[in-house]
Every structure is written in structure tokens, then in C-alpha cells.
Amino acid sequence: MRVGIVGCGLIGGKRAKSLAALGHTVAATADISLERAQALAKAYPGCDAVGGWRELVARADLDTVVVATINDSLASITLAAVEAGKHVLVEKPAARSAEELRPVESAAQQAGVTVRVGFNHRFHPALLKARELVDAGAVGPLMFVRGRYGHGGRVGYDREWRANPELAGGGELLDQGVHLIDLTRWFLGDVSRVSGFAGTFFWDMPVEDNGFLCTHHADGSVGWLHASCSEWKNLFCLEIYGKTGKLQVDGLGGSYGLERLAYYRMLPQMGPPETTIWEYPGEDGSWNAEFRAFEAAVAGRQGSGATLGDAVAALDVVAAVYAQSAGDGRRAA
Amino acid sequence: MRVGIVGCGLIGGKRAKSLAALGHTVAATADISLERAQALAKAYPGCDAVGGWRELVARADLDTVVVATINDSLASITLAAVEAGKHVLVEKPAARSAEELRPVESAAQQAGVTVRVGFNHRFHPALLKARELVDAGAVGPLMFVRGRYGHGGRVGYDREWRANPELAGGGELLDQGVHLIDLTRWFLGDVSRVSGFAGTFFWDMPVEDNGFLCTHHADGSVGWLHASCSEWKNLFCLEIYGKTGKLQVDGLGGSYGLERLAYYRMLPQMGPPETTIWEYPGEDGSWNAEFRAFEAAVAGRQGSGATLGDAVAALDVVAAVYAQSAGDGRRAA
Amino acid sequence: MRVGIVGCGLIGGKRAKSLAALGHTVAATADISLERAQALAKAYPGCDAVGGWRELVARADLDTVVVATINDSLASITLAAVEAGKHVLVEKPAARSAEELRPVESAAQQAGVTVRVGFNHRFHPALLKARELVDAGAVGPLMFVRGRYGHGGRVGYDREWRANPELAGGGELLDQGVHLIDLTRWFLGDVSRVSGFAGTFFWDMPVEDNGFLCTHHADGSVGWLHASCSEWKNLFCLEIYGKTGKLQVDGLGGSYGLERLAYYRMLPQMGPPETTIWEYPGEDGSWNAEFRAFEAAVAGRQGSGATLGDAVAALDVVAAVYAQSAGDGRRAA
Amino acid sequence: MRVGIVGCGLIGGKRAKSLAALGHTVAATADISLERAQALAKAYPGCDAVGGWRELVARADLDTVVVATINDSLASITLAAVEAGKHVLVEKPAARSAEELRPVESAAQQAGVTVRVGFNHRFHPALLKARELVDAGAVGPLMFVRGRYGHGGRVGYDREWRANPELAGGGELLDQGVHLIDLTRWFLGDVSRVSGFAGTFFWDMPVEDNGFLCTHHADGSVGWLHASCSEWKNLFCLEIYGKTGKLQVDGLGGSYGLERLAYYRMLPQMGPPETTIWEYPGEDGSWNAEFRAFEAAVAGRQGSGATLGDAVAALDVVAAVYAQSAGDGRRAA
């Protein structure tokens, strides 16, 4: 593929590296800072840093666009790229709201292009393995999922773009919580009802720093999820309960700790379960794995990547929690 | 103290052993099975096994009664003992419902006797230490508490008394969940509002096997709690978040794993917190510690033991979750 | 089998329970304390408590004898049982010294009976699995084994029989160290040379409380072993290194902590290894597994149980370390 | 201080960064690759990259030299710097052998300059805390130290300079093992006798990839140490045993895992020890701490940094193990 990257920050750089590793051509870059676009372009022979994203999506020599900007431009750039006939990989949450994203979904369908959303957590090795075990029936029919995800921010976090509702569209629930929602939907299916609470406990900012929610799914299963940016020790944990066993994913590498998957298999005599644990001390391979799934989707094969529909559904859940929290949810720090 | 024990099962036996270790006299025992009362009495010189609990609470030579029966008789026996002028330590949850317990509270006040409820988790060393740290301001003002508690049952669990609503008064939320509620109240204070969901996912029984709840407290703090008896690997975890740090209690010893307390202290520069962990590999000392607190309460000193008011408040929370789950909460397995 | 048990202490009791569970008949018991023999016999219908071990080994209605006495009588009772034509399972270390045990080995050969030595650690699930992985080539040719084993004693430990050289034959090296030696031989084969050091660092006793040793094996592989009864936190760890991976066993359950096996598989690109961990939270099944291997040996099938030759070889290693430590090894506490 | 750095690789760069952070002036750099010296100099305003180390040590504007080359030049450059009247911080092991280092020790004494050796492990927070606890008597008189240290190499490791006896002076025992020896001496004092074994088990190289050694100290205490570069999962563990407790350091951060210190305090009743654990998730502060100790030493205050005498003593231990292994120790892979 010949790929253009819009948004040349941390994530844009990771995507470029992954694209090159997979044999694709990073052909053009764009960023609100031309300097940043040029810095990234320089690392990839033949890559042009262009003046802006409009110019980039219009280029005839690209078949694919990666959109890795901050939240406020994700949807509009994706829409323009889709209308220009490009396949798009857009970073999560793909938009500030479901309202913003629905038109993109329609446009993509009309244009006949493939759009996938960068819910890369699905592609972490522990989660891929968990999914494989669930699909193989290793824990039986699923009952509920428990998710905890959070970080401790950093000095001045409440002055960054993520604390600005205009730029971010929401707070922690939209930022990290949306990963939990996506993973829960990935395992339990569509959300039929949600109850939750978004509150601001610590940071001096007009978006929530904690989101608590309970998702109900068609088959009666439940998601019990909490995302926090006042989680002083970085944490990721997803526990998946079936009628014959449990899977637990801990860590995402780096400051989130060693990634591992524990499989607890209930025995006929019950009592302590049979326990197997896999650890993943290596580098984060989720970016490559996700892009391979994107390639497959472009080639018309079904894959495990998140669609625009998945992102719309996750954003609907976020919006429902915000609506329920309107009265009392957001309190002063 | 001269103590009579009503209910000579596992917990009654533990109480007797603890009483003796603390220098009290186990003077009388009663049980619906006389044989069981006799077996326990035999282990304590001079102890009489009496015909029934009515006879026991009427004995003039006792000043204290321990009530360790199954849930359906906790309140009525406690009431009779109180009316007979005895101090009482009654096992949690002290009744099947708040309605059942409120008259006992009034009677105790009128009789001028001391009643404490055996929420023994408060007296586990990791929780005592957590409380001490919170009181010393080690984590700053509290923001929220996250609790997970559960076990995996055993073959036939859904045929035991805990699965019978008449005898138990409720399911897992009342059984283990009530400990989480009590601990959350102990740290965050009274519950002003609760939302939750009690459901039956696995066991073939007319009470819930999972309780999920979110408690809201007067100061805006939140409890996020889940109790489960389809928790295939036994688990106890309480995470306490303040504005300057976090405390995490894991395990209760035995099949719940090594009990430990981790203290994460946020540094001014933020980033990874300073971390100290205490492990408690020794025997469960909560029974002795709880009874010492009971002694102090009888002697008129304030202590950390749970009062009837605490139990009523916890049962009110349970009832509120049951009410909210009435429509759809309890589904067939 | 119809089995007689000599030595009715903790281990004798465990053996009886295991025998019954496996469908054998516990037909007779003997102990230097008749009372203790009777107490054990009472639990098994039709079992006789006899006056002494000589009487027991002479009984015609027994085909098998389990010898579970303290060290000073293991060899002589086993010899008598063998001469009486019985199969024997004798607890480790089977004798106080190789000298004491060699005649038993000859006698067993002459009598054509089966004798196995209770090195039950081979039958712990993590070690069985480790052996299976080694045999399957999962870690390639073995290079070395590192073993650490120890406990913290208890008040008065230095006044117990294990502190008496006449009764025990040696100290910690003979008591727990011999398990490490046996396991190392099980993985690496015969010991061609040993260097080591036995010393008394803490306890007030005329036997060593710490044994350090390095075993060299025919293929150039090495065992690096340390056993200690001044190991304040109980510990068992065996690390097995091959040219393409590593296995690590931690814990033996109970006070030694959760038993688990970690398998680190080196990848072609090296770097962090692929990691899989199995945990064994269940009850200690080593006693049953060991006796099943004994049954197989009696039936003429080869098994994984330790032979008298294995015990002689392990005791030779112990003796070599003692000889090297004679000058300076044992110092006052 | 005005400091010149000889050797501008990974470690030289770390030292420069630390020097600047502590307010010193990185005034000159030298390396066998002028380009590398220039690259490092560029990062520090006013810093000159000079043509070679002889030129650097002769500069009148420097008072201190950091020597961070590979092993074959450490001693000779340090000698020249000392003779030029500079204070020197030389990286461990300071020389390829004690023979090479002894003249440097004499020269430094004559010149009246301060030389310290970069055994930076002493300055890791877990080890500093362990030392502080030992000094405070927290574990009583020391009995023995158990150390395990190793890494898994990388593809082509046996073709790097560390595999070349001329350049390195030895193998794994000299490379990582010397840290274990230094730490053991730091806790237990001078080594009076050593027995050990250096062997080549995996890598195709003429130096050992594993060193096993037992050090005996004047007070009867013992070090039991193993260093390995066929340790497939990177590992650092130092266990320090006293008569009333144990300290255990695990990890060094990064690929060696989270650094932590466990303190097991034996109770009068013995049984499970009281356990406290400190974790050090932050950045490696050992470089700054070590340099602060160097500053103190230059200022004439005693500190915890390793002296040339410490390095000579550690190299003597290494040489003794090599001598004992001469016959059979180094075998083909």
C-alpha cells in the first residue's frame, strides 16, 4: 500500500514504523505543524511532507490514509479521505461523539472503501489469545466481563488537550474507557442497556477523570467497567468469566506492567481451578498485528479489527453514561 | 466474661476457641442439633450444652451471648438475648433484612446492652493497617473504593441453605457483598445513594449469585463493588483511592491467597508512585482482634467494631439493589 | 496390596490415607509407641496394631511394608522386611548413610523384591511436568540445575531428633538437601564429582544447618544446590537450564507457597523468552502418585520412583560434602 | 568539577548525563572513535572532543576523569590520569586482572588523588536500603549471602569484545559476577577463601559463560554466587541472611524486572516472618547516587563507593576461581 499519515505525533510515528516494517510505503505526511510532518517524512525515503491534510487526502498516489490526530479532527479528516476514495485507519475513538461519526460510516459505505478504527488493544497478544480461547469454548458461555484501566496522569495533565472538551469530546471515559467498552463489546456483543457515572474527583478540568459503567448485553451478560486517570499506579486488567472458567489479562507492557494472560479452568470437582499463565515480555506487537488485520479487511476478508460501527456503538455507550451523569456526575475537584 | 454460644457450626467453634484464648469462659452452648452443642461444650471444661437457644439466653450465669446461627435466626435470637439483658456479638449480616434488624436495634438501646456485628473483615491485619494509614492521611482525602470479592462455590452449592431465600434472606450480595458494603462504609461513611444489579448467572437457585453495585457517599466519594460466587478462583481485593495515594488489600489468607497491603504514595513529580507492601502470612487473627474490640465496646470505649446501625445500613444498601433488580435482575441460569 | 506400616507419625499417617484411597488394605501397623500404632490402626477396619516392627515384617498376610520411622531405623527395618520377602517403600533418606544402605540393596536383589525410596518431590505436579518437558526436548540439552530449599525451623528445633547425629545421621543437607540431590540426579544423571560445604550458622546443634554443594555430572552439567534450616521464609526453588530454555519450579504448596512451573523458551531472535506458567493450587497429590509408581515397579514396569541405588548415590554425595567440611565446616553457632 | 570522559559509548553517555544533572561540567571527551567523542561533546556546551585519551588526561583544565572504555584500557588510562593528578571514576571491573590494577592503586596513593570504581549496583535503591537495614541490625549478624545474576546474551554475543579474553580479561564471572563479588564483600567483608568453577556451557567463545563460586569470609560467613550469560530470562537476585531475618533484592529495573527489596523479620515465636516489601518502579538513580558518593570521597569524606582496593580484592576472587577451573572448568560448548 501507499499510505499517507495525517498527524505526526507519537502514534503517527508508531504507525509509520509499523507500516514500513510490513513493507508498505509511507508516501506522504501531514500535520498542523509542518515541521513535525517533515521530521517524520525525512525518516522514510521518497516520503513527502505536504502542507495540510486536505492536500494529503487529495493525492492520487495514495490508496490509504492513517488518521492519527487529536480527537477533534479524526472524523472530519476520515470523512474527507473516504470521499476521496481512500481506505482509512483512524485512531480511536474515531470521533468526539457518535453523532460526528455516523455520517462517516454512511460515506464509507457509499464510497466502497474500508475504514477501520485503531482499537489496538484487541491486538495485544494476551487479548488475542484470550479471544482465541473464548472462541474455542475454553471458558464456556460468557457471563460477565470486569475491566479496570487507568493511569496517574502527569503534572499539568489537566492543562493538556485531553482536558479540553472541545478538543477531546470527553474525558477519561472517552480516552481509556472506550478501550474497555470496545473490548467488552468484542467479547459480549452489542450493548442493550448501560448504567454508569462519570465524575471528576481529582483533576481541575471540565471533563471527567473517572468513568464507572455497567453494560448489559442481549444474552444477559454484563460488563462492569471502570476507567480512571487518578489511578496512581498504572493498571490494565480485564477479567472474562464464563460458565466453566475465567480469563484474566493483566498489564500492557511498559508502565502498565508485564502483559500476561491467566486461564483458570474449573474442574468437575470444582475447588481450585487448573491454572495456566502466559506472559508476554516482548515488544508491543499490537501495531503490526492491527495493520495486518486492516490489510485483510481491505482485501475483503473478515478480520478482528474494529469497524466504524464498533466505534459508533462504543461512543453511544459513552454518551449514555454522560447523559446519566449530567445532574450530579461532574463535581468540582 | 461468661459467654453462651448459640450455633455450634464452623463459626461458633472459631468463636469458642477465640474466647478461650482471650481468657473468657465458654459457659453454655446451644444448637438446633443437641449433639453438635454437646460436641462443642465437651471441649470447654464446665460448659453446658443446653436444650435450645431460649434456654440459653435465659441463663442468669451468662453476661454475653454469641449468635452464630444461619441467617434466619440471627435477629430473633439476638433480640431475645438483648431482652434478657445480655451483651451480644452476632455474626454478619445480623439479619435477613434491615426490617428484621431495626427492632433489635431499639431493644438494645432500651436494654442498655452492647451489641456488635461480626463484620470480621475490618479486623484482618491488612485492613486494620489500611485504616490506620487512611486515618493518618497517608493517601489524602478519599475519592473512591473499588472492591471485588468472590468464591467459586462447590458442587451442590445451589442446594445449600445459602441458596434458600427463606433461610438466607438473599444471595451472594447478602453473603459476601455485605462485607464489601461494610468495609466501604467504614472508609467512606454513610451511603446516600446506590445503584446496582443482582443477577443469577450460573447457579440453579432463586437467589442471585452476583451482585454489582455503585454506592454514592455524602462527600461525593464512590464505592464500586462486585461480589460473586461464580468467581472461579477465590478472590478478595479492596482498592482505596485518595487524592495523594492508593491502598490495595489482596487476599484473606487460605484459599483467598496471601493477605497483603500495598501502599502507593504519589510523589510531587507524579510518575511511578513510591511503593511499600506488607504481607501477612500468619494465622487469621481477625477473630481475636474483633472480640477484643467487643470487650472494649462493652467497657464503654469506642472501637472499630460494627454496630447494629452499621448492619442496618448495609442491609438497606442490599435491599436497594434488590429493589432495582426486581424487574430483570434475576434471570435463570 | 496388603500393607503394613512401620512408623505411625505424620508421614505414616499420610501413607495410610493414600494407600486406602488407592484401594489397598492397611493391614497392620507398628510403632515404638504402641498407642500411636493403635491410633492409626483404628482408622482402618481390620487393621492390627502389632507389638513391634519385627513382628510386623514377619506377618505372612502382608506383601508390602511401608517404613516411615525416623532415620536411625529406616535401613534395618527395610533390611528385615526385604529378608522376609516383602516389597518395601521406605521414606527418604532410607538410611543415615550409604554404608548402612548398601547391604539392603544387595539383600533386595537377592530376595527379588521391589524396594523404592520415598523421594516424593519427584511426584509433585510441577516436577512431573518439568520432567515431561525436559524429556520432550523443550529446553534442549541440560546445562545446569540450581536448587534452593529451606525452612526456618521452629522454637526448640535444635532439641529435636533431627539435631541428633546418632538418630538423624546428619543435618539439613541430609534432611532437605537430599531431595535437591535426588532431583538433580533425576535430571542430570549420576554425580561424578562434588564439592561443597556443610556448616552450622544458627542452631545450637552438632549437625549442620546449611549445606552448599556443587555437583558435577558425566556430561559436564552442574548442580548448584543449597539447603538451609535458617531460611526464614520457607522456600523451594529448582531452576533447570537447557541450551534452548529454562524451567523453574517454585513452591511445594502450604507454607512453601503456591507450587508453580515456569517455562521460558528461548526464541531464535533471543531477547525476552516465550513464557508459560502452570500453577498447582490443589492438594498435594505426590503421595498417591508416588505409590502408583511403586505399584508399577512391583508389577515389573519401569517407573520414575527412586530406587535404593538412587538413595545410595544421594547419600554418597552427602558423605562427600561432610568429608570436605570436616576440618572447618561445622562451626559453633 | 570539570570532568573529562574517556570512552563515549553507552556508559560514558550515561555518566555525562548524570554529571550534567549534578551540576558538573562535562569539559572534554575522548574515544577511539573521534566521531563518537564528537557526538557526545556536542550535547554539552563548551565540551571539546579531543584526539585521544592521552591528550585528555593531560589537560590542565580538568580535575576529574571518568574512564568508561572497554576492559583492556581501564587500568592504563586510569594510571595515566592519576599520574596527571586527576581524580578518577573508573568503570568496573577497573582492569582485566588484579595484577594490572595494583600499580594503579599505588600510584593513586602517591599522587594523593581519589579513585573510585563504578560498582554502581551498590547504589541501586534496593541495595542502599538493604545496607541501611543491615547496618541498623534489622537482620542481626550476617550468616550468608546468596546471589544470582545473569542475562541471556543476544545473537552474536560470542563475537563481541566480551568474548575476547585479550579485550575483556575473562568472561561472565568478570563481567557480571564481579558485581556479585563486590556486593558480597560490601556486606560480609574480605574474602578469606574461595572455591568455585568457571565453565563454558553454551556460547562458542574462549571465556566462561557461567561462574559459580563460594566465598568464605573472616567471620565464618559465606557467599554463594552464580553469574550466567545463559540465563534465558534476565535475573538479578541477592539474598542476605542474618540470624534474625532475611533481606531479598530482586530486579534492577528494565529487562531485569521491577527492583524490589523484601525484608523478612523473624518473630520470637518463629513461624512465618513479618514481611515488608519496597518496590522501586522509578528510573535508575544509581548513576547519580554513585557520583555523589564520589564527590564526597574527593572531599575527603568516607562513603559507600568502591575503592581500588575493593576492585583488586574482587579481581583476586575472580582469579582464584579461574585458577581452580584451569584443568576442567572451561569446556567446549
Side-chain angles (χ1 to χ4, degrees):
Chain A
M1 293 179 178
R2 290 184 58 82
V3 188
I5 295 179
V6 183
C8 301
L10 180 71
I11 303 296
K14 284 193 186 191
R15 289 290 181 195
K17 201 176 148 196
S18 164
L19 283 165
L22 295 170
H24 299 290
T25 305
V26 183
T29 60
D31 195 284
I32 45 169
S33 151
L34 181 58
E35 204 177 325
R36 209 154 56 165
Q38 286 168 336
L40 187 60
K42 214 170 62 180
Y44 297 91
C47 178
D48 299 332
V50 301
W53 63 264
R54 280 172 225 278
E55 190 179 327
L56 185 141
V57 302
R59 280 175 70 126
D61 66 329
L62 304 178
D63 45 53
T64 299
V65 174
V66 168
V67 184
T69 65
I70 68 172
N71 293 359
D72 69 338
S73 343
L74 292 172
S76 50
I77 298 172
T78 302
L79 182 62
V82 160
E83 287 173 348
K86 313 300 186 199
H87 304 300
V88 180
L89 179 64
V90 54
E91 297 302 335
K92 67 93 208 168
R96 286 168 296 188
S97 68
E99 283 64 42
E100 219 181 14
L101 197 54
R102 281 204 178 84
V104 186
E105 203 183 0
S106 320
Q109 232 160 347
Q110 274 193 306
V113 296
T114 296
V115 183
R116 287 293 179 271
V117 182
F119 282 110
N120 75 315
H121 289 26
R122 294 188 182 194
F123 295 94
H124 269 265
L127 283 153
L128 285 174
K129 175 88 175 179
R131 177 62 193 253
E132 181 192 315
L133 286 165
V134 166
D135 290 348
V139 296
L142 298 187
M143 301 189 295
F144 47 88
V145 161
R146 204 157 57 192
R148 297 174 290 147
Y149 194 9
H151 64 83
R154 51 193 160 255
V155 176
Y157 187 73
D158 42 8
R159 295 296 167 261
E160 301 184 5
W161 70 264
R162 281 192 175 82
N164 181 330
E166 270 313 297
L167 300 179
E172 171 66 10
L173 180 60
L174 189 62
D175 188 38
Q176 294 194 296
V178 78
H179 275 301
L180 290 180
I181 296 168
D182 179 65
L183 291 172
T184 301
R185 288 188 66 258
W186 195 38
F187 283 106
L188 302 184
D190 283 341
V191 173
S192 51
R193 187 162 56 87
V194 62
S195 67
F197 168 77
T200 308
F201 292 77
F202 178 81
W203 295 98
D204 176 24
M205 60 185 188
V207 294
E208 83 282 359
D209 55 22
N210 278 270
F212 303 86
L213 67 160
C214 180
T215 58
H216 294 263
H217 301 257
D219 62 351
S221 63
V222 164
W224 185 247
L225 312 175
H226 179 203
S228 174
C229 58
S230 60
E231 178 73 58
W232 305 129
K233 184 178 160 57
N234 291 6
L235 173 74
F236 176 84
C237 178
L238 194 76
E239 299 166 285
I240 301 157
Y241 292 79
K243 293 197 172 183
T244 63
K246 172 185 176 182
L247 297 168
Q248 177 164 343
V249 176
D250 284 288
L252 294 170
S255 65
Y256 287 88
L258 179 61
E259 184 173 333
R260 46 184 259 157
L261 170 66
Y263 169 30
Y264 302 105
R265 193 169 74 89
M266 194 174 58
L267 302 171
Q269 73 272 29
M270 305 195 81
E274 189 187 273
T275 304
T276 311
I277 297 165
W278 296 271
E279 295 186 347
Y280 301 95
E283 290 196 7
D284 180 359
S286 67
W287 308 96
N288 286 2
E290 187 173 54
F291 206 82
R292 274 200 213 95
F294 178 72
E295 293 166 16
V298 169
R301 297 192 304 276
Q302 220 184 344
S304 46
T307 64
L308 282 172
D310 289 324
V312 165
L315 289 167
D316 276 338
V317 170
V318 170
V321 174
Y322 285 166
Q324 291 174 35
S325 311
D328 60 352
R330 316 226 183 150
R331 57 168 195 154
Chain B
M1 294 178 178
R2 290 185 58 83
V3 188
I5 295 178
V6 183
C8 301
L10 179 70
I11 304 295
K14 284 192 186 192
R15 291 289 181 195
K17 200 176 148 195
S18 164
L19 284 164
L22 295 170
H24 299 290
T25 304
V26 183
T29 59
D31 195 284
I32 43 168
S33 150
L34 181 58
E35 203 178 326
R36 209 153 56 165
Q38 287 167 336
L40 186 59
K42 215 170 60 179
Y44 298 91
C47 178
D48 298 332
V50 302
W53 62 265
R54 282 172 222 277
E55 190 179 330
L56 186 140
V57 302
R59 280 175 70 126
D61 66 330
L62 304 177
D63 45 53
T64 299
V65 174
V66 168
V67 184
T69 64
I70 67 171
N71 293 0
D72 68 337
S73 342
L74 293 172
S76 50
I77 298 172
T78 302
L79 182 61
V82 160
E83 287 172 346
K86 313 301 186 200
H87 303 301
V88 180
L89 178 65
V90 54
E91 297 301 337
K92 66 92 204 169
R96 285 168 296 187
S97 68
E99 284 64 43
E100 217 179 16
L101 197 55
R102 282 204 178 84
V104 185
E105 205 182 359
S106 321
Q109 231 158 349
Q110 274 192 307
V113 296
T114 297
V115 183
R116 287 293 179 271
V117 181
F119 282 110
N120 75 315
H121 288 27
R122 294 187 182 198
F123 294 94
H124 269 264
L127 283 154
L128 285 174
K129 175 89 174 176
R131 179 61 193 255
E132 181 192 315
L133 286 166
V134 166
D135 289 349
V139 297
L142 298 187
M143 301 189 295
F144 48 87
V145 161
R146 204 158 54 193
R148 298 174 289 147
Y149 194 9
H151 65 82
R154 51 193 160 257
V155 176
Y157 187 73
D158 43 7
R159 295 298 167 262
E160 300 184 5
W161 70 264
R162 282 190 174 83
N164 181 332
E166 271 312 297
L167 301 178
E172 171 66 11
L173 179 59
L174 189 62
D175 187 38
Q176 294 194 296
V178 78
H179 275 300
L180 289 180
I181 296 167
D182 179 65
L183 291 171
T184 301
R185 289 187 65 259
W186 195 38
F187 284 104
L188 302 183
D190 282 341
V191 173
S192 51
R193 187 162 56 84
V194 61
S195 67
F197 168 76
T200 308
F201 292 77
F202 177 80
W203 295 99
D204 176 25
M205 60 186 188
V207 294
E208 82 283 358
D209 54 23
N210 278 270
F212 303 87
L213 68 161
C214 180
T215 59
H216 295 262
H217 302 257
D219 63 352
S221 63
V222 164
W224 185 248
L225 312 175
H226 178 203
S228 173
C229 58
S230 60
E231 179 72 59
W232 304 129
K233 183 178 160 56
N234 290 6
L235 172 74
F236 176 84
C237 178
L238 195 76
E239 298 165 286
I240 301 158
Y241 292 79
K243 292 197 173 183
T244 63
K246 172 185 175 181
L247 297 168
Q248 178 165 343
V249 176
D250 284 287
L252 293 170
S255 66
Y256 287 88
L258 179 60
E259 184 173 333
R260 47 184 261 158
L261 171 66
Y263 170 29
Y264 302 105
R265 192 169 75 89
M266 193 175 58
L267 301 171
Q269 72 272 29
M270 305 193 81
E274 189 187 272
T275 304
T276 311
I277 297 164
W278 296 272
E279 294 185 348
Y280 300 96
E283 288 195 10
D284 180 359
S286 67
W287 307 96
N288 286 2
E290 187 172 54
F291 205 83
R292 275 199 213 96
F294 178 73
E295 293 166 16
V298 168
R301 298 193 304 275
Q302 220 185 342
S304 47
T307 64
L308 281 172
D310 289 325
V312 166
L315 289 167
D316 276 338
V317 170
V318 171
V321 175
Y322 286 166
Q324 292 174 35
S325 311
D328 60 352
R330 316 227 184 148
R331 59 171 193 150
Chain C
M1 293 179 179
R2 290 185 58 83
V3 187
I5 295 180
V6 183
C8 301
L10 179 71
I11 303 296
K14 285 193 186 192
R15 291 290 182 195
K17 201 177 147 196
S18 164
L19 284 164
L22 295 171
H24 299 291
T25 304
V26 182
T29 60
D31 195 283
I32 46 169
S33 150
L34 181 58
E35 205 178 323
R36 207 153 58 165
Q38 285 166 338
L40 185 60
K42 215 171 59 179
Y44 298 91
C47 178
D48 299 332
V50 302
W53 62 265
R54 281 172 224 278
E55 191 180 325
L56 186 141
V57 303
R59 280 175 69 127
D61 65 331
L62 304 178
D63 44 56
T64 299
V65 174
V66 168
V67 184
T69 64
I70 67 171
N71 293 359
D72 69 336
S73 343
L74 292 171
S76 50
I77 298 172
T78 302
L79 182 62
V82 159
E83 289 173 347
K86 312 301 186 201
H87 303 300
V88 180
L89 179 64
V90 55
E91 296 302 335
K92 67 93 206 169
R96 286 169 295 188
S97 68
E99 284 65 43
E100 217 180 19
L101 198 54
R102 280 203 178 85
V104 185
E105 203 182 0
S106 320
Q109 231 159 349
Q110 275 192 309
V113 296
T114 297
V115 183
R116 286 294 178 272
V117 181
F119 283 110
N120 74 316
H121 289 26
R122 294 187 181 196
F123 295 93
H124 269 265
L127 283 153
L128 284 175
K129 175 87 173 178
R131 179 61 193 254
E132 180 192 316
L133 285 166
V134 166
D135 290 348
V139 296
L142 298 186
M143 302 188 295
F144 47 87
V145 161
R146 203 157 58 192
R148 297 174 291 146
Y149 194 9
H151 65 82
R154 51 193 162 256
V155 176
Y157 187 74
D158 43 7
R159 295 297 168 263
E160 301 184 5
W161 70 264
R162 281 191 174 82
N164 181 331
E166 271 312 297
L167 300 179
E172 170 67 10
L173 179 60
L174 188 63
D175 187 38
Q176 293 195 297
V178 78
H179 276 299
L180 289 180
I181 296 167
D182 179 64
L183 291 171
T184 300
R185 287 187 67 257
W186 196 38
F187 283 104
L188 301 183
D190 282 342
V191 173
S192 51
R193 186 163 56 87
V194 62
S195 67
F197 168 75
T200 308
F201 292 78
F202 178 81
W203 295 99
D204 176 25
M205 59 186 188
V207 294
E208 82 282 359
D209 54 23
N210 278 269
F212 303 86
L213 67 160
C214 179
T215 58
H216 295 262
H217 302 256
D219 62 352
S221 62
V222 164
W224 185 248
L225 312 175
H226 178 202
S228 174
C229 57
S230 61
E231 178 72 59
W232 305 128
K233 184 179 160 55
N234 291 6
L235 172 74
F236 177 84
C237 178
L238 195 76
E239 299 166 286
I240 301 157
Y241 292 78
K243 292 197 172 182
T244 64
K246 172 185 173 180
L247 297 168
Q248 178 164 344
V249 176
D250 284 287
L252 294 169
S255 66
Y256 287 88
L258 179 61
E259 184 173 333
R260 48 184 258 158
L261 171 66
Y263 169 30
Y264 303 105
R265 192 169 74 88
M266 195 175 59
L267 301 172
Q269 74 271 29
M270 304 193 83
E274 189 187 273
T275 305
T276 310
I277 297 165
W278 296 270
E279 294 186 348
Y280 300 95
E283 290 196 8
D284 180 359
S286 66
W287 308 96
N288 286 2
E290 187 173 53
F291 206 82
R292 274 199 214 96
F294 178 73
E295 293 166 16
V298 169
R301 297 192 304 275
Q302 221 185 342
S304 47
T307 63
L308 281 173
D310 289 323
V312 165
L315 289 167
D316 275 337
V317 170
V318 171
V321 175
Y322 285 166
Q324 292 175 34
S325 311
D328 61 351
R330 317 231 183 143
R331 58 171 193 148
Chain D
M1 294 179 177
R2 290 186 57 81
V3 187
I5 295 179
V6 183
C8 300
L10 179 71
I11 302 296
K14 284 192 186 193
R15 290 290 182 194
K17 201 178 146 195
S18 164
L19 283 164
L22 295 171
H24 298 290
T25 303
V26 182
T29 59
D31 195 284
I32 44 168
S33 150
L34 181 59
E35 204 178 326
R36 208 153 57 164
Q38 287 168 336
L40 186 60
K42 215 171 58 180
Y44 298 91
C47 179
D48 299 331
V50 302
W53 63 265
R54 281 173 224 276
E55 189 180 329
L56 186 141
V57 302
R59 281 175 69 127
D61 67 330
L62 304 178
D63 45 54
T64 299
V65 174
V66 167
V67 185
T69 64
I70 67 171
N71 293 0
D72 67 337
S73 343
L74 292 172
S76 50
I77 299 173
T78 302
L79 182 62
V82 159
E83 287 172 348
K86 313 302 186 201
H87 303 301
V88 180
L89 179 64
V90 54
E91 298 301 336
K92 67 94 207 169
R96 286 168 295 188
S97 68
E99 283 65 41
E100 216 180 17
L101 197 55
R102 281 204 178 84
V104 185
E105 204 182 0
S106 320
Q109 231 160 348
Q110 274 192 309
V113 296
T114 297
V115 183
R116 286 294 179 272
V117 181
F119 282 111
N120 74 317
H121 288 27
R122 294 188 182 196
F123 295 93
H124 269 264
L127 283 153
L128 285 175
K129 175 86 174 178
R131 180 60 193 256
E132 181 193 315
L133 286 166
V134 166
D135 289 349
V139 297
L142 298 186
M143 301 188 295
F144 48 86
V145 161
R146 203 159 55 192
R148 297 174 290 146
Y149 195 8
H151 65 82
R154 50 193 161 257
V155 175
Y157 187 73
D158 44 6
R159 295 296 167 262
E160 301 185 5
W161 70 264
R162 280 190 175 84
N164 181 331
E166 271 312 296
L167 301 179
E172 170 66 11
L173 180 60
L174 188 63
D175 187 39
Q176 294 195 296
V178 77
H179 276 300
L180 289 181
I181 295 167
D182 179 64
L183 291 171
T184 301
R185 289 187 65 259
W186 196 38
F187 283 104
L188 301 184
D190 282 341
V191 173
S192 52
R193 185 162 57 85
V194 61
S195 67
F197 168 76
T200 307
F201 293 77
F202 177 80
W203 295 99
D204 176 24
M205 59 186 188
V207 293
E208 82 281 0
D209 53 24
N210 278 270
F212 303 87
L213 67 160
C214 180
T215 59
H216 295 263
H217 301 257
D219 62 352
S221 63
V222 164
W224 186 248
L225 312 175
H226 179 203
S228 174
C229 58
S230 60
E231 180 72 58
W232 305 129
K233 183 178 161 55
N234 291 6
L235 171 76
F236 177 84
C237 178
L238 195 75
E239 299 165 286
I240 301 158
Y241 292 79
K243 292 196 174 183
T244 64
K246 171 185 174 180
L247 297 167
Q248 178 164 344
V249 176
D250 285 287
L252 293 169
S255 66
Y256 286 89
L258 180 61
E259 184 173 333
R260 48 185 258 158
L261 171 65
Y263 170 30
Y264 303 104
R265 192 169 75 88
M266 193 175 59
L267 301 171
Q269 73 272 29
M270 305 193 83
E274 190 187 271
T275 305
T276 311
I277 297 164
W278 296 272
E279 294 186 348
Y280 301 95
E283 288 196 9
D284 180 359
S286 67
W287 307 96
N288 286 2
E290 187 172 53
F291 206 82
R292 275 200 214 96
F294 178 72
E295 293 166 16
V298 168
R301 297 192 305 275
Q302 221 184 344
S304 46
T307 63
L308 282 172
D310 289 324
V312 165
L315 289 167
D316 275 338
V317 170
V318 171
V321 174
Y322 286 165
Q324 291 174 36
S325 311
D328 59 352
R330 316 225 185 150
R331 58 170 192 148

